[in-house]
Amino acid sequence: MTVLAIIIGAAIGAPLRYSVDRWVHHRTAGLTIGSGRWGMVPWGLFAVNVAGSAIAGLVLVTTSGVGMPILCIAAFMAVWNLLSATGR
C-alpha cells in the first residue's frame, strides 16, 4: 500500500511541480538579481520549494496533534532546508 501511495504521489506531483516551475519561470523571465550569470534566479524552483515546504510543514503539524505555532515554524524550516538542498 505504501509503494502504491508513493507511485500515485509521484505521478501527480512530478508533472504538477514541472508545470508550476515552467509557469513561474515564464512569468519571471526577465527578473534577475545582480548581473551576469550569477544574477539568474530560478524563481520557479524557489516558488515550488516554498509552497511544498509550507504544505509539508502544515501536514506535519496537523497530523502530529500538537497545535503550537512554534512547531509549525520549526516544521516549515526543517522541510525548507531539506527541499532547498535539492536544487537543479
Side-chain angles (χ1 to χ4, degrees):
M1 188 67 174
T2 303
V3 174
L4 182 61
I6 292 171
I7 291 170
I8 291 171
I12 294 170
L16 183 62
R17 180 181 176 100
Y18 179 78
S19 298
V20 170
D21 177 48
R22 293 289 93 206
W23 182 78
V24 172
H25 178 71
H26 174 71
R27 305 283 261 158
T28 61
L31 186 60
T32 61
I33 296 176
S35 62
R37 177 178 164 204
W38 300 108
M40 302 298 291
V41 176
W43 293 111
L45 182 67
F46 179 76
V48 168
N49 283 343
V50 168
S53 297
I55 291 168
L58 288 174
V59 168
L60 178 67
V61 168
T62 57
T63 59
S64 70
V66 179
M68 297 186 322
I70 192 69
L71 182 59
C72 184
I73 293 169
F76 175 80
M77 294 306 295
V79 175
W80 167 254
N81 285 331
L82 175 68
L83 292 178
S84 65
T86 61
R88 292 185 178 172

